[in-house]
Amino acid sequence: MSNKLWKFETGYICGYTEDRDLIRRIKRYKFKNDWLIMADYFRGNRLVGVQFKIPIEQRRPAERMFQVELES
């Protein structure tokens, strides 16, 4: 499973994950408040990965959830 975090635009970072449990946790706890889904990736009819737009203030919680550090 791959997880990535990178700088996107002023005030935001992006996160990508293929981990189904992480996607469920994000949708349960973070999606309703601050985090937005930018893209869903499918192979056939099956969800493969999700890309999130995350406010920069949420960088530390994002790094803990994704278990990676922000890429420069």
Side-chain angles (χ1 to χ4, degrees), residues 52-65:
F52 296 95
K53 183 176 178 181
I54 306 165
I56 194 72
E57 298 85 25
Q58 295 284 316
R59 179 186 60 84
R60 294 283 303 239
E63 287 178 343
R64 284 193 298 269
M65 288 187 87

Side-chain angles (χ1 to χ4, degrees), residues 29-47:
Y29 298 115
K30 296 292 184 180
F31 178 65
K32 296 175 186 173
N33 298 330
D34 299 328
W35 298 20
L36 301 173
I37 293 179
M38 290 182 61
D40 292 324
Y41 296 94
F42 291 90
R43 186 172 296 131
N45 288 332
R46 185 180 171 121
L47 180 68

